Amino acid sequence: MTRITRRRFPALRIAAVVPFLILFLLVLTSVSMAEHDAPAQANISAQKTAAASAQISGHVYRADTGAPLPKTQVTLIPVTGTSMNITGERRYTLADIDGFYSFTQVAPGTYTVGASRNGFIARYFDDVASPVDARIIAISSEERLGRIDIRLVSAGVISGTVFDDDNQPLMTVQVEAVRIRYMPGGRRLEAPRSIVMTNDLGEFRLSNLPPGNYFVRIQTSTVNLVTGKQVSLLAYYPNTTSIENAQSFKVVGGNEINGIRFSVGLTAAYSITGNIVDVTGSAGQRKYDVTIQRLNTGESAGPSTPSAGGAFALHAMTPDDYLLMAASTLLGPDSQLNGRPREVSGFAIAHVGDGDTQVNIQVNPQAEVSGRVSLENSKGQSISGILIALWPQLPILGTGSNWIHSEIDRNGAFKIPYVPSGGYDFGTFDAAGIYLKKVICNGKDYTLLPVNIEPGTSVDCLVTLGTDVGEVKGQVLNDEKPASGLTVIAIPTDHSLRHLDRFTVTGKTNVNGEYQLSGLIPGDYLLFAVPPDDNGAYFDIDFADRNQRDAERVNVKSGETKTVPLKPTTPQ
């Protein structure tokens, strides 16, 4: 019989082995868990890869010849789905020899694409110059979007030399290529496109100019030999102080207009003097700041000049029209408006021709415009947060945006304090599907007229907002093919309404040539489909009259939606 003998281990040896057993069990457990979690982790990794596996690609071409543009920098810009607010980091790449570019591992979202290359005008998809007007691209996971093509326009150049009246070159003279830019309501601005300084030979080269009409303008300082004072000079080619009398240059893409000789002679300089007439009735002497700008360009014509005792003098002023403003804080009796110091201000226009000019500036307490707003047929819409704005007939110095405003509170009330005297047009902002229908101030109708704000007064207004806007939609076809990327604009047939920007509505055609103009105030309109224009020439008050033969007429009734097919217009 075989004896089975059980071996006994001392307690110390058992205690020593236990940690190794525990470690062994932990290893087995972790291996088991890893095997169990492996599919889940693989799934998460696959999801991450899929989430960033989309692709956006296309080509960059020359707009004139259609040839590919290698080595063009292409930028992928993440934006919000409804606007051009950048939401993340930009990505960059270069187009290859065939003009092809590609962005891989693109996360789902909304984007736009831009392209830039030396000698060409930067463009954004779909062939627009401003990122604000760019077409937004929506892409989902694993999606492949191709043919996101961009066509770059060749830049033009204007070059020449600036001389003095002794035919000596002038260095460090600021030279600008200026275009006329139109804003909604027909407001006209002089917009410099390129700014350079002349070199030691008096030479300048204004490059990267989009095709179009330009004026060459210089700004410099010279010494008047009669007075011995330094004169700040603004002049347009060939040598005039007004853009109306200047010569324009038509720039064609890829070409250079050269050999321009800009001769700057001795310029007469004069003084603008006068007195500040204070009609506020407040006792005591106050100090005023007199600010001056050129009336036509809106540019400052000199530093702010302090004035004590009511007299002011502005020297070294070249022939031009100027807007002067005097402002001060009113002290003493009746100096408070709603618990804050009351401002006094006044305007005057001075014309400098061939001699010194004298003009007085009458200053008055600033006014307050307030009232209530009602919404007609609200349909559940809220007016809280909508802006009621006043647009001045003359630019207000120092206000930046040149309009003053107030939010409408939840009770429909608004208040705009510190309004300088003058004429103003009413307007609204942040009011989709809502328009300014009626304005009654102090019992008078100012719906279509500027309201004249008297000095130091309180103006009470009842404003009615309408909701019965109409809509026009349709498709633009060019020889039966969809015309994408065009600007569609509705302009009122009534010439007197065109200075009110709320009556003019614009939109863009999509890749299928389709457009939609929403928020149209009921009335008669002329419709146009025109190429994109950075200078907004279609906002010119006379644009519709010049191009009337190509317009499509439409009558929009309250709440009506109309479908109107269009053909592209070549603006005159």
Side-chain angles (χ1 to χ4, degrees):
M1 184 175 71
T2 305
R3 179 184 293 181
I4 299 175
T5 305
R6 180 174 294 173
R7 187 173 180 181
R8 298 180 181 271
F9 293 92
L12 184 59
R13 292 183 178 179
I14 294 174
V17 172
V18 167
F20 293 100
L21 292 173
I22 294 173
L23 181 61
F24 179 70
L25 292 173
L26 288 173
V27 171
L28 289 177
T29 302
S30 64
V31 170
S32 176
M33 290 178 64
E35 290 175 350
H36 180 269
D37 290 343
Q41 291 174 352
N43 188 40
I44 292 172
S45 178
Q47 288 176 354
K48 288 182 178 180
T49 302
S53 62
Q55 179 177 307
I56 293 176
S57 63
H59 287 81
V60 184
Y61 301 107
R62 291 182 61 116
D64 49 0
T65 65
L69 280 174
K71 294 188 177 180
T72 299
Q73 178 177 291
V74 185
T75 309
L76 180 67
I77 309 171
V79 297
T80 58
T82 56
S83 65
M84 284 299 298
N85 295 323
I86 298 174
T87 59
E89 269 192 55
R90 302 179 184 218
R91 292 176 58 186
Y92 303 91
T93 190
L94 291 177
D96 66 16
I97 193 171
D98 297 317
F100 176 78
Y101 75 89
S102 176
F103 291 99
T104 59
Q105 295 185 330
V106 177
T110 48
Y111 300 85
T112 193
V113 175
S116 60
R117 192 177 191 273
N118 189 36
F120 292 81
I121 306 303
R123 281 290 185 267
Y124 297 84
F125 186 70
D126 186 20
D127 291 339
V128 296
S130 171
V132 175
D133 298 324
R135 184 173 160 196
I136 293 176
I137 306 162
I139 191 168
S140 58
S141 60
E142 300 188 64
E143 191 174 3
R144 302 286 194 273
L145 292 181
R147 296 186 178 180
I148 308 299
D149 299 335
I150 300 178
R151 293 163 179 80
L152 298 187
V153 176
S154 300
V157 176
I158 299 176
S159 62
T161 311
V162 180
F163 299 93
D164 65 12
D165 54 352
D166 291 326
N167 207 33
Q168 296 299 308
L170 291 176
M171 64 181 296
T172 64
V173 172
Q174 180 171 302
V175 186
E176 304 169 340
V178 177
R179 298 188 74 172
I180 298 298
R181 184 179 180 188
Y182 292 90
M183 305 298 290
R187 289 179 289 275
R188 196 180 79 164
L189 302 175
E190 294 183 19
R193 176 72 195 196
S194 178
I195 302 175
V196 298
M197 305 295 288
T198 57
N199 62 16
D200 60 325
L201 300 177
E203 299 168 335
F204 66 89
R205 191 171 189 272
L206 298 159
S207 59
N208 291 323
L209 299 177
N213 292 318
Y214 291 85
F215 299 90
V216 176
R217 184 174 76 184
I218 64 167
Q219 296 194 56
T220 187
S221 294
T222 62
V223 176
N224 184 274
L225 298 180
V226 176
T227 63
K229 294 183 179 295
Q230 194 173 48
V231 179
S232 177
L233 173 65
L234 183 145
Y236 302 83
Y237 183 83
N239 191 10
T240 176
T241 59
S242 170
I243 199 169
E244 282 76 18
N245 299 321
Q247 177 182 327
S248 65
F249 296 93
K250 186 174 183 178
V251 172
V252 178
N255 290 344
E256 179 172 349
I257 299 173
N258 54 29
I260 294 176
R261 293 177 58 88
F262 203 139
S263 181
V264 181
L266 286 177
T267 301
Y270 304 101
S271 297
I272 301 175
T273 59
N275 293 287
I276 298 170
V277 181
D278 189 340
V279 298
T280 61
S282 177
Q285 189 180 64
R286 288 189 299 279
K287 291 183 179 180
Y288 301 89
D289 282 326
V290 179
T291 314
I292 184 168
Q293 71 180 37
R294 298 181 187 274
L295 185 62
N296 293 327
T297 67
E299 296 176 339
S300 173
S304 176
T305 302
S307 171
F312 67 89
L314 301 164
H315 301 290
M317 309 306 301
T318 56
D320 207 342
D321 291 317
Y322 298 92
L323 177 65
L324 284 68
M325 175 181 176
S328 178
T329 300
L330 180 63
L331 305 175
D334 303 321
S335 64
Q336 298 291 310
L337 177 64
N338 298 327
R340 294 179 60 184
R342 200 170 190 179
E343 298 292 321
V344 295
S345 63
F347 298 90
I349 295 175
H351 173 73
V352 176
D354 56 359
D356 295 334
T357 300
Q358 186 171 18
V359 62
N360 293 333
I361 307 174
Q362 180 174 302
V363 296
N364 313 280
Q366 294 183 343
E368 178 181 278
V369 178
S370 60
R372 301 192 67 81
V373 180
S374 62
L375 185 61
E376 194 173 77
N377 301 321
S378 67
K379 303 174 185 176
Q381 295 161 291
S382 173
I383 59 175
S384 178
I386 291 177
L387 300 183
I388 290 290
L390 294 174
W391 285 93
Q393 299 286 294
L394 285 175
I396 299 176
L397 296 172
T399 59
S401 62
N402 271 351
W403 56 281
I404 48 182
H405 66 278
S406 168
E407 276 194 7
I408 304 171
D409 67 21
R410 61 183 180 181
N411 297 315
F414 72 93
K415 182 182 292 184
I416 308 176
Y418 315 114
V419 180
S421 58
Y424 294 85
D425 289 318
F426 272 87
T428 57
F429 287 90
D430 300 329
I434 296 173
Y435 71 98
L436 197 69
K437 191 166 188 176
K438 201 168 191 63
V439 178
I440 305 293
C441 295
N442 293 347
K444 185 176 178 179
D445 191 339
Y446 291 102
T447 306
L448 303 177
L449 298 173
V451 57
N452 188 43
I453 307 297
E454 297 291 339
T457 59
S458 294
V459 180
D460 183 60
C461 300
L462 297 176
V463 178
T464 303
L465 301 181
T467 60
D468 58 331
V469 293
E471 179 179 284
V472 175
K473 61 182 181 178
Q475 187 180 34
V476 181
L477 295 177
N478 186 13
D479 293 332
E480 305 304 321
K481 295 180 180 179
S484 65
L486 296 184
T487 297
V488 179
I489 182 168
I491 301 174
T493 56
D494 188 341
H495 196 280
S496 66
L497 300 179
R498 296 175 192 169
H499 76 281
L500 298 170
D501 56 9
R502 65 180 182 270
F503 282 94
T504 299
V505 178
T506 62
K508 295 282 185 182
T509 58
N510 62 17
V511 68
N512 298 317
E514 298 165 335
Y515 73 91
Q516 181 176 337
L517 303 179
S518 302
L520 285 164
I521 298 173
D524 295 315
Y525 292 88
L526 300 172
L527 299 181
F528 301 91
V530 298
D533 185 348
D534 299 344
N535 301 301
Y538 38 77
F539 289 129
D540 181 3
I541 295 294
D542 298 323
F543 174 87
D545 296 333
R546 292 196 305 270
N547 298 278
Q548 196 169 119
R549 65 179 184 180
D550 296 325
E552 193 71 36
R553 295 176 179 269
V554 60
N555 174 262
V556 179
K557 296 182 173 60
S558 295
E560 182 181 30
T561 297
K562 280 195 170 180
T563 301
V564 180
L566 296 175
K567 293 181 179 180
T569 296
T570 301
Q572 302 298 316

